[in-house]
Every structure is written in C-alpha cells, then in structure tokens.
Amino acid sequence: MAEEAILGFLKNNEQITDSGQFSTEHKLDHNEVVNIIKSLHGFRYIDVQDIKRETWVLTDEGKKYAAEGSPEVQLFLAVPEEGSISKDELQKKLAPSVFKIGCSQAGKNKWVEMGKQVSRKVQHVEDKVKGTLLQIQEGKEIDKDSINSLKARKLIAPQTWKGYSVKKGPNYAPERKKVATDLNRENLQNWEELEFKEYNFNAKGAPVDAGHLHPLLKVRKQFKDIFVQMGFEEMPTNNFVESSFWNFDALFQPQQHPARDSHDTFFLKAPSTTRTLPEDYVERVKQVHESGGYGSRGYNYDWKREEANKNLLRTHTTAVSSRMLYALAQQPFVPKKYFSIDRVFRNEAVDRTHLAEFHQIEGLICDRGLTLGDLIGVLNDFFSRLGMSKLRFKPAYNPYTEPSMEIFSYHEGLGKWVEIGNSGMFRPEMLLPMGLPEDVRVIAWGLSLERPTMILYGIDNIRDLFGHKVDLDLIKRNPICRIGI
Ligand code: PHE
C-alpha cells in the first residue's frame, strides 16, 4: 500500500516534500512509510533527504490528564455548585496528587475560594489543559504560551520527529521490479530477462556450527605440548580395565589398604579376574609384600593371588606407569621420560569438586642416580611453563613413593596457595622386583586435569565441566584458544 502510494505519487509529482504530511494525507502509518522509503532508497528507486522537526509528546502525567481531565477541573467539579465543602471532606474525594495540584491551580485561576471551607467562585470552567493536551496528541500546532505552561508543569516533553522528503532516484520505476535472488536452473536459463539482486558483501554470514573443543581437551593439549617440549614420550593408556596387580600390588600397595576397598574402587563383575600376569615377577612382588627384601622388611602379611587377580577400573594412571617400568626393566636399561593424560575412576560420592571419573596427568623420569633435587627441578620447570612459577612442597605419604611431596602453587587470582598435585620417588620395593638396575631412580608426579581447567576457565562446580549435566553452550561459547595461560 505505502509502496504503491509513494511510487505512484512520484509518477505525476516532482517530490514528496514531507513523509509525515504524506502519511496523514494518504492515511498511512508513518513508520511503515519510513520503512518503505528506506527499502526503495536501498534499491535507488528514490533519492531522499532527512527532515527533522522538534515536536512535543505527552509525559505519563500529561497522558493521564488528557484522559481524566486536569486536576484543577477535577477539583472544581468536586466542589458543590451551591454552598461549600470542608477542605478535609474535599481531600477525601480526590487522589492526593490531584487534590494538591488541583488546589493550587484552581486557586490561581480564581475558580474557588480556598479556606477551611471551599466554595465555587464561578459557575462554569473549561478544561483548557485537557483540550490542549489532546490537540498535542493529535499532532496539531499549538501556541507558544500554552506550550510553555504545559512544559513548566512537566505534562509535555520535546521530541525530535524524523521524516524524509523524497524524489525519483536513478532506478525509479512506477512499480518495483522483482529481482532474482537465487542462482537456480530456472533463473540461469532466463538470465537475459532477469535482473539479479546484487551481492551484499557486507552481510554477515551465518555462524558455522562446526565442531567445538571441550575445555578439558584444550587444556589437555596444553599439557601434552609441554611434556613433548620437555622430551617426554606418551604412554599407552587405552585400557580403563586393569588388574589389581598392576594398579596396586606392583606399586607395593598392601592388600589391606583402604583404597583397595570397594568403597573406593570399582571392581568388575565380568570378567572379574585377569587372565595372565608375568609369573616370576608376581612371585617377587608377593615376596616383597610378605617379607621384604632389597633392604626392606615388607608388610608381614599373607599375600593372596586372588586379590591381585581382581579386575577393576583403574584408580590412577600410575597403573600404566607400573606396566611401562616393568617392560623397561625387561631390556638393557635406557633412561626414559614418560607421560600420560587419561581417565581414571574412583567410587566416590559426587559433589562440586569430586566425580567418579576424572582425568589424571602423570609424568615420570627414569634414570640412574636421580635425586629429590631433580624432582623439584623438573616440577619447577614443568609448572612454570604453565605460568605457575611459585611452588611449595609439603611432605606426604604414598605407598609407592618415598619421599613423597604434595605440590602447592600460589594462585594470584585466588590470593592463596592451592594444592595442584602429588609427587615422589618410587620406592625400591616397587622398582627392584621389576628388575631395574639398583642405581636407577624414578621421579614421578601426578595431578588432575579437571582442577587446572576449572581454575583457567573460572568454573567452580566440576559437574558443570564434565558429565551429563554439562551445558553444551559452555563448549560453544569458549574460544578455540585462550590467550595467555
Ligand atoms: N597416583 C597418584 C594419585 O593418584 C599421583 C602420583 C603419581 C603420586 C606419581 C606420586 C607419583 O594421586
């Protein structure tokens, strides 16, 4: 409608001087006219020029009086034609603001006599305020004095009105031509008759909903890169199911140890036991548990093969390290630096910092004559590559390391020392039964992947990071790579 009106008008007329006037004359909505003008201008059917005019609009208060009448008239009408009404009585009949403003305006207009009793001074009054407000609402021209008094009473406020004057443009036609937008078979066959829509090279493309990396994968890559830069080789961690032997016994963890309880470990029902273990090595492990050797007194208990055979979901990636060190011991010795980052399982109550499955990062170095000083040095090197250069160590206990140290790092953001990992030197009771040479020492450390990821991504509930409650948008929202650490 508006489009026909505009193009049709320009066919016989030089210009539309004012889109506002034009809209009123043609009984069109000005907003709609403006939209059509913009679109026709985009295709250069028309040339336009902006018009700006200061106009007045009613404030909320103004709108109220336009509908209900001004307070002074409301007050006047509440006063009886004959006689008088007490001020208190009058106040009860009106809204507080109407009473207050009404009193002062009606008094000023000399409409009423104000005292303890209120009476009329004139017979009839005209609601000029309401009348003018209604005229402004209709967009009519109003005299200066009225405007000023309504403005002073905050019943109207200025507003800039925007419109256009319109002339024919270079592509003017009395009717808009349909432009072809698709490069389909039909349009291409008729290309000579058609006009194609121009490409808009400034249009934004639809976001590509391609693959997104989970924060854990991104932080895992960061750790992996650091290990590789430091010359570490990745261990094969592709077995979630492990035997108790490699997960615990080979690590000199006694069979009565509470971690081996089903409260802490998931045992498998089927297959419930492992098929093969290296028999001569098993024998040496049994020996060292029961009665020691290599300078150790052992644990002095009855070691049971059935306990070692039980299958479980590995509780730590140190199970993989024990397999790898055993394999290393079966050949002429060469020093090694190994790492792994993979999933482990613990039968724990789930809360905001614990999950029954999570990821461990583990590093180990195996060489002749290594000392605790080497471990501290490597840890400083490793963590400073992550931007954590302030470390502290606290003596700790692990069945398979001696000495053992918890690793703390000063977190600038949190303003405190936070525990970031666990470390130690593997015990001779673990290494010597494997067959490693006596002067070979193994320094090792482990940490969770979730903890640093939560710190880096500002996530305070582990269930928001991993598991079935994760919001997929979290993965889409996060940038592919984080700048900084
Ligand atoms: N396996 C230990 C844990 O689960 C971590 C660790 C690895 C400790 C290597 C010392 C040496 O917490």
Side-chain angles (χ1 to χ4, degrees):
M1 268 249 300
E3 181 165 313
E4 279 165 37
I6 296 168
L7 292 176
F9 187 87
L10 288 178
K11 198 166 151 190
N12 308 314
N13 298 278
E14 173 84 14
Q15 71 166 350
I16 295 170
T17 30
D18 183 320
S19 57
Q21 237 173 317
F22 182 83
S23 304
T24 326
E25 282 163 18
H26 291 78
K27 297 200 166 48
L28 294 168
D29 173 38
H30 189 241
N31 286 328
E32 196 194 331
V33 169
V34 166
N35 284 338
I36 297 290
I37 288 177
K38 284 182 182 161
S39 147
L40 289 172
H41 182 233
F43 291 98
R44 313 194 61 190
Y45 279 87
I46 54 173
D47 285 337
V48 302
Q49 249 176 337
D50 295 350
I51 308 175
K52 275 187 192 163
R53 251 199 316 268
E54 284 300 313
T55 58
W56 296 95
V57 288
L58 306 197
T59 60
D60 286 345
E61 196 182 352
K63 281 183 201 154
K64 225 173 141 206
Y65 299 163
E68 295 164 11
S70 67
E72 52 268 39
V73 169
Q74 288 188 50
L75 182 119
F76 180 83
L77 294 175
V79 176
E81 281 177 41
E82 302 285 336
S84 63
I85 182 171
S86 79
K87 205 170 178 180
D88 291 346
E89 210 42 46
L90 182 60
Q91 183 162 13
K92 274 187 216 149
K93 292 175 104 179
L94 300 165
S97 70
V98 170
F99 176 75
K100 197 171 152 238
I101 302 167
C103 280
S104 92
Q105 295 293 334
K108 221 188 276 169
N109 292 351
K110 302 206 166 55
W111 288 352
V112 290
E113 185 70 52
M114 297 289 294
K116 273 210 165 137
Q117 290 293 115
V118 185
S119 58
R120 290 191 180 182
K121 274 176 149 182
V122 293
Q123 280 308 303
H124 293 289
V125 296
E126 198 193 322
D127 200 342
K128 264 192 158 174
V129 169
K130 176 176 171 171
T132 321
L133 288 171
L134 286 173
Q135 283 182 313
I136 293 173
Q137 224 167 21
E138 284 162 25
K140 299 219 170 93
E141 285 282 318
I142 306 296
D143 66 283
K144 260 245 159 73
D145 287 347
S146 304
I147 290 287
N148 285 341
S149 94
L150 293 179
K151 196 173 105 185
R153 286 178 70 174
K154 295 205 173 66
L155 302 183
I156 55 172
Q159 198 188 46
T160 316
W161 179 90
K162 287 186 190 139
Y164 297 96
S165 78
V166 180
K167 280 186 181 162
K168 282 185 188 137
N171 295 341
Y172 174 80
E175 243 178 79
R176 203 200 276 250
K177 269 180 254 150
K178 278 244 178 306
V179 286
T181 50
D182 293 330
L183 291 180
N184 55 21
R185 177 185 155 93
E186 207 187 346
N187 284 348
L188 288 174
Q189 278 175 335
N190 300 324
W191 69 274
E192 273 173 311
E193 286 106 71
L194 290 173
E195 192 181 321
F196 283 89
K197 185 174 178 182
E198 279 184 39
Y199 276 112
N200 176 4
F201 292 108
N202 294 322
K204 285 201 175 107
V208 182
D209 204 14
H212 298 274
L213 292 175
H214 189 282
L216 283 175
L217 293 178
K218 290 186 263 192
V219 176
R220 183 179 74 173
K221 173 78 163 67
Q222 258 181 295
F223 276 103
K224 195 168 175 165
D225 286 348
I226 290 172
F227 275 120
V228 170
Q229 282 159 17
M230 289 175 72
F232 284 67
E233 285 170 57
E234 189 162 11
M235 296 186 267
T237 49
N238 54 347
N239 56 316
F240 292 169
V241 174
E242 187 53 276
S243 64
S244 293
F245 180 77
W246 292 110
N247 194 83
F248 292 128
D249 296 281
L251 291 162
F252 197 51
Q253 194 143 331
Q255 293 186 329
Q256 311 76 19
H257 193 281
R260 300 183 63 152
D261 204 282
S262 63
H263 289 295
D264 292 304
T265 300
F266 291 112
F267 287 97
L268 257 71
K269 282 195 182 141
S272 62
T273 55
T274 189
R275 285 210 199 94
T276 53
L277 292 172
E279 292 306 331
D280 55 335
Y281 174 48
V282 170
E283 193 50 42
R284 293 196 295 276
V285 168
K286 173 182 156 78
Q287 281 294 318
V288 80
H289 276 243
E290 287 186 339
S291 53
Y294 320 99
S296 169
R297 297 206 310 227
Y299 291 120
N300 269 307
Y301 73 97
D302 214 359
W303 188 86
K304 293 209 170 62
R305 176 62 182 264
E306 306 83 72
E307 201 56 42
N309 283 348
K310 285 184 184 166
N311 276 336
L312 45 74
L313 292 178
R314 69 173 174 228
T315 63
H316 53 182
T317 46
T318 316
V320 179
S321 303
S322 66
R323 278 179 180 273
M324 291 299 283
L325 288 168
Y326 171 75
L328 196 62
Q330 307 319 300
Q331 291 154 18
F333 181 72
V334 275
K336 285 285 182 191
K337 293 193 213 178
Y338 286 139
F339 81 95
S340 67
I341 308 174
D342 209 343
R343 200 171 294 195
V344 299
F345 306 84
R346 289 189 192 169
N347 195 355
E348 267 179 313
V350 170
D351 63 26
R352 58 192 303 115
T353 53
H354 293 89
L355 288 177
E357 51 186 306
F358 61 100
H359 297 80
Q360 272 192 338
I361 303 165
E362 179 147 329
L364 68 88
I365 303 178
C366 173
D367 203 350
R368 297 182 193 273
L370 293 174
T371 66
L372 193 66
D374 291 305
L375 176 58
I376 292 175
V378 173
L379 291 175
N380 274 314
D381 185 4
F382 178 78
F383 284 104
S384 67
R385 288 169 191 254
L386 277 166
M388 305 180 192
S389 41
K390 268 196 218 168
L391 296 188
R392 268 190 193 168
F393 305 99
K394 181 174 147 189
Y397 173 77
N398 289 311
Y400 40 89
T401 55
E402 181 60 34
S404 311
M405 305 187 300
E406 276 169 6
I407 312 162
F408 288 78
S409 158
Y410 188 77
H411 190 280
E412 299 290 345
L414 301 175
K416 62 176 183 187
W417 292 90
V418 290
E419 197 202 323
I420 49 168
N422 187 359
S423 68
M425 301 186 69
F426 285 139
R427 296 185 77 103
E429 289 96 325
M430 167 183 165
L431 300 181
L432 294 174
M434 288 175 170
L436 284 166
E438 249 181 74
D439 59 344
V440 166
R441 305 278 177 272
V442 180
I443 56 180
W445 70 98
L447 60 144
S448 89
L449 175 61
E450 281 76 3
R451 183 82 173 253
T453 306
M454 285 167 73
I455 294 175
L456 288 170
Y457 284 82
I459 297 167
D460 67 355
N461 187 338
I462 198 164
R463 287 167 289 192
D464 292 339
L465 178 69
F466 190 60
H468 64 288
K469 286 190 177 159
V470 172
D471 172 11
L472 281 182
D473 270 347
L474 164 92
I475 290 133
K476 293 187 182 175
R477 254 191 335 262
N478 281 308
I480 285 183
C481 74
R482 298 175 62 263
I483 310 295
I485 62 121

